Amino acid sequence: MSQRAKKSGEFRDPIAELGALKARPLVAAAEGPSLPPTTETEFRRYRDLLEVAVSLTSSLDLKAILDAIVDGIIRVTSCERGFVILREKDGTFAMFTGRTREGTPWDERGAREISHTVVARVVETHEPFVGADIEKIDDLRGQESILAQKIRSAVCLPLIDQEQLIGVIYADSSFVIPPFGDADRSVLRAFGAHAAVAIARARQHGEILDRGERLEEQNRKLREQLSQHVIMSGMVSRNKRMLDVFSIVEKIAPTDISSVLIHGESGTGKELLARAIHDKSPRRNGPYAAVNCTALPHGLAESILFGHRKGAFTGADSDKEGLFENADGGTLFLDEIGDMPLETQPKLLRALQEKEITRVGEEGRARKVDVHVVAATNKDLPRMVDEGTFRTDLFFRLNAAQLHIPPLRERREDILPLAEYFLQRLADKRRQPVAQLSRDARAFLLGNAWPGNVRELENAMEWALAFQDENGVINSDAFARLSLSSAPATATAENGSLRDMMDQFESRTVREALARNDNNVSATAKALGLSRQMLHEKIKKYGIVTRDV
């Protein structure tokens, strides 16, 4: 995308941009050398330049252009090998193409060693460098990398497009190449100008194609999301925020990132997400261990996590491995990490940083462990850090990647897919036909607040299954014996202001009325004495789901 488009933020049509891009001419300054060639060598270099320049105009494929540029610089300079490095948007350089005279790849490590000498000079000055015999150049002939590579000659050109350095062309040899005159240097400048424009055009072409492909991929994913829900390790969702979480898991799990912190209310499925990360990671065949930090006794937390030696304390009748050793080569899930005893937190931090643990009673003997830690909490850890109840350094160590699972009340479109998923799973487990939800049961589920989130919904479905009728249908009265709330907690002075209490009462009343009328908006509006428009406004205000019933 062009700088102008980036500044304006306006939508650009990829097809129209492609047409304009192909029409972009090479810069006038690159049409030929400013000084005419006079010797046979200069004529040959000039002829070779023209042939390479013509080849650069015939393609918009970046890889093909880079190959042609490297082959061209080797040909024009009579060098043995060459490479092109290009500047990324963040200002760093990346190796794109390195080749020898024979067309074989040039080892990137060796090429980068050169970049600290000759290339660094060109990047800084934006001026070409030509050294037909480096031994005659005082400040270069003693350079360690040049001596190690046995370089006798080198040529390096800046790639400048619209007054910006976009990369560098480099070539060298282990022998002395024919010297360059002023006309030759003019030829090389022209070569660099041609190459810079060709690269810029190819990059822009690639960005346009990528943007078009991304738009198509986004549209495809959107169509899929609208038509079906996604299941990941027992988690079911069609909610955009949850699908984003699934997408992040797909990206980070294979990288075996050092640690992951999952935040979400109780019952949202944090452990399922941790298991999904393990199952999609390179450690999938390794052990998986889990512990709820709330259940760690203060005096035994260290022993449970790191193990102990026989006789380390009363009751330690034998040597015992801790959870870190149990999970060696795999994943350790630390649920409710916010309840980790404060005195244990420094040792947990050391285990994460040093990848080693010490059993209780084995001071001085460290054991190496290779464990991927996934932690979860329903608490506000940053606030706990401010209050001094959770270590700052441990928080940042755990927070290499953070995932947030929204509560079920914020993704009500997931209620029915989840309910049907649980019924299917129960049917498979019991080898029975799948029970069906009646219209009023579906309305009841959508009208409930689910303060216990997905776990509460799962328990409710297992309960309701026992009360299905003879036709295998679950009606709303199957939930009557459960203490389910059809709205947030009962309004009291503790719930906030008078306006908050009024909103809670109104939300509960609307939800109950919709459930009684099978989610029929017209019938509900009539029962409440409201117009359809007024009811729609309240449905929108309170985030009430009325579809899929």
Side-chain angles (χ1 to χ4, degrees):
M1 185 183 293
S2 67
Q3 295 297 321
R4 182 179 301 171
K6 287 181 179 179
K7 290 180 179 179
S8 66
E10 63 184 355
F11 172 76
R12 308 288 295 219
D13 181 2
I15 303 302
E17 287 196 25
L18 277 176
L21 182 63
K22 290 178 180 179
R24 178 182 171 185
L26 292 176
V27 292
E31 292 178 354
S34 57
L35 294 175
T38 57
T39 68
E40 181 179 347
T41 300
E42 290 176 345
F43 272 111
R44 179 185 60 78
R45 286 171 172 162
Y46 182 46
R47 182 196 64 226
D48 291 345
L49 163 70
L50 291 178
E51 291 181 4
V52 175
V54 169
S55 71
L56 298 183
T57 64
S58 62
S59 174
L60 288 174
D61 178 77
L62 182 58
K63 179 64 169 61
I65 288 174
L66 294 177
D67 286 345
I69 289 172
V70 176
D71 291 342
I73 192 67
I74 293 172
R75 177 180 173 187
V76 170
T77 62
S78 300
C79 284
E80 294 178 291
R81 57 188 184 175
F83 67 75
V84 176
I85 53 173
L86 299 182
R87 174 168 275 173
E88 300 297 325
K89 292 179 180 179
D90 62 1
T92 60
F93 286 90
M95 182 72 181
F96 273 77
T97 297
R99 291 158 67 84
T100 67
R101 179 184 294 172
E102 291 74 26
T104 57
W106 180 8
D107 174 63
E108 182 176 341
R109 180 180 299 176
R112 286 195 177 277
E113 289 176 356
I114 307 305
S115 68
H116 293 296
T117 54
V118 175
V119 172
R121 174 181 295 186
V122 173
V123 169
E124 181 179 357
T125 65
H126 291 195
E127 291 294 328
F129 170 86
V130 178
D133 187 355
I134 288 180
E135 288 191 354
K136 296 181 178 179
I137 304 176
D138 292 337
D139 62 338
L140 288 180
R141 61 187 176 190
Q143 290 286 341
E144 182 178 347
S145 59
I146 290 176
L147 292 173
Q149 296 285 333
K150 299 179 180 179
I151 299 170
R152 289 294 302 277
S153 56
V155 175
C156 190
L157 310 176
L159 291 167
I160 298 176
D161 181 62
Q162 298 181 7
E163 300 182 354
Q164 296 293 320
L165 182 77
I166 66 170
V168 171
I169 308 172
Y170 173 91
D172 69 21
S173 287
S174 59
F175 54 81
V176 176
I177 60 175
F180 285 75
D182 291 339
D184 290 319
R185 295 174 187 274
S186 179
V187 166
L188 290 176
R189 285 183 181 275
F191 183 90
H194 272 291
V197 174
I199 289 171
R201 291 198 313 165
R203 275 183 151 182
Q204 190 175 355
H205 173 259
E207 289 175 359
I208 294 169
L209 290 180
D210 287 345
R211 188 163 66 252
E213 290 175 359
R214 286 196 301 271
L215 289 172
E216 177 57 33
E217 180 67 10
Q218 289 171 1
N219 289 336
R220 183 188 66 78
K221 288 183 177 179
L222 181 60
R223 289 193 297 268
E224 288 180 355
Q225 291 172 14
L226 291 174
S227 64
Q228 63 182 20
H229 54 264
V230 175
I231 300 177
M232 174 184 281
S233 298
M235 294 175 291
V236 179
S237 186
R238 62 176 59 167
N239 174 266
K240 183 182 182 305
R241 290 167 64 190
M242 279 298 293
L243 294 178
D244 287 344
V245 171
F246 291 173
S247 177
I248 293 172
V249 169
E250 294 284 1
K251 288 182 173 65
I252 67 172
T255 69
D256 201 25
I257 191 169
S258 59
S259 57
V260 179
L261 181 62
I262 303 172
H263 183 269
E265 295 180 4
S266 295
T268 51
K270 297 189 291 295
E271 184 164 4
L272 287 175
L273 197 63
R275 188 77 205 207
I277 293 171
H278 172 76
D279 291 343
K280 294 178 180 296
S281 76
R283 301 170 179 264
R284 65 181 66 87
N285 296 322
Y288 176 88
V291 63
N292 189 317
C293 297
T294 306
L296 288 175
H298 280 246
L300 295 176
E302 186 179 345
S303 170
I304 293 171
L305 290 173
F306 310 122
H308 61 255
R309 182 180 179 181
K310 180 180 178 180
F313 52 85
T314 303
D317 299 329
S318 61
D319 291 351
K320 185 177 181 180
E321 291 185 349
L323 289 173
F324 267 85
E325 289 183 80
N326 293 157
D328 190 23
T331 301
L332 175 59
F333 176 54
L334 301 176
D335 197 9
E336 302 305 343
I337 189 67
D339 293 323
M340 172 72 67
L342 191 59
E343 64 269 18
T344 309
Q345 292 181 23
K347 296 182 179 180
L348 173 60
L349 176 64
R350 180 178 180 275
L352 295 175
Q353 289 179 333
E354 306 299 330
K355 296 188 179 299
E356 62 182 29
I357 57 93
T358 301
R359 291 182 182 180
V360 177
E362 276 192 346
E363 284 69 17
R365 180 184 176 186
R367 298 171 181 264
K368 286 291 183 181
V369 289
D370 176 22
V371 177
H372 180 212
V373 171
V374 179
T377 184
N378 62 3
K379 295 187 175 181
D380 186 348
L381 289 188
R383 187 178 69 180
M384 293 180 65
V385 168
D386 292 340
E387 294 172 348
T389 56
F390 199 86
R391 289 180 63 100
T392 304
D393 45 8
L394 178 58
F395 169 70
F396 286 114
R397 186 71 189 185
L398 292 169
N399 201 32
Q402 185 176 120
L403 299 171
H404 176 73
I405 305 180
L408 192 55
R409 64 179 175 274
E410 294 179 8
R411 48 186 178 104
R412 306 192 71 82
E413 64 268 42
D414 288 347
I415 292 174
L416 294 182
L418 278 166
E420 291 167 347
Y421 172 77
F422 294 140
L423 290 177
Q424 178 68 61
R425 195 168 66 180
L426 288 167
D428 293 342
K429 180 180 179 181
R430 300 175 183 182
R431 298 183 179 179
Q432 297 174 348
V434 182
Q436 303 298 311
L437 292 167
S438 69
R439 189 176 182 84
D440 66 312
R442 293 159 73 88
F444 181 91
L445 293 176
L446 288 172
N448 193 67
W450 303 111
N453 292 296
V454 180
R455 185 184 296 124
E456 182 186 9
L457 175 61
E458 181 178 11
N459 292 338
M461 299 315 300
E462 188 167 9
W463 167 274
L465 194 60
F467 298 94
Q468 60 182 301
D469 64 21
E470 64 277 7
N471 297 316
V473 176
I474 298 175
N475 296 291
S476 60
D477 57 8
F479 303 102
R481 301 174 190 270
L482 288 172
S483 56
L484 297 174
S485 169
S486 58
T490 303
T492 67
E494 295 179 354
N495 294 120
S497 66
L498 177 62
R499 169 51 57 190
D500 294 334
M501 291 186 284
M502 292 174 64
D503 286 346
Q504 291 176 33
F505 175 78
E506 187 174 65
S507 171
R508 183 175 69 249
T509 301
V510 171
R511 293 177 191 276
E512 290 175 345
L514 283 166
R516 286 195 303 271
N517 289 280
D518 294 335
N519 255 24
N520 184 300
V521 175
S522 297
T524 303
K526 183 176 181 181
L528 293 174
L530 301 173
S531 67
R532 281 177 57 88
Q533 181 179 354
M534 290 177 64
L535 180 57
H536 275 300
E537 290 174 356
K538 295 184 184 301
I539 288 171
K540 182 178 180 181
K541 176 180 178 180
Y542 299 117
I544 301 172
V545 179
T546 59
R547 61 182 181 275
D548 293 335
V549 179

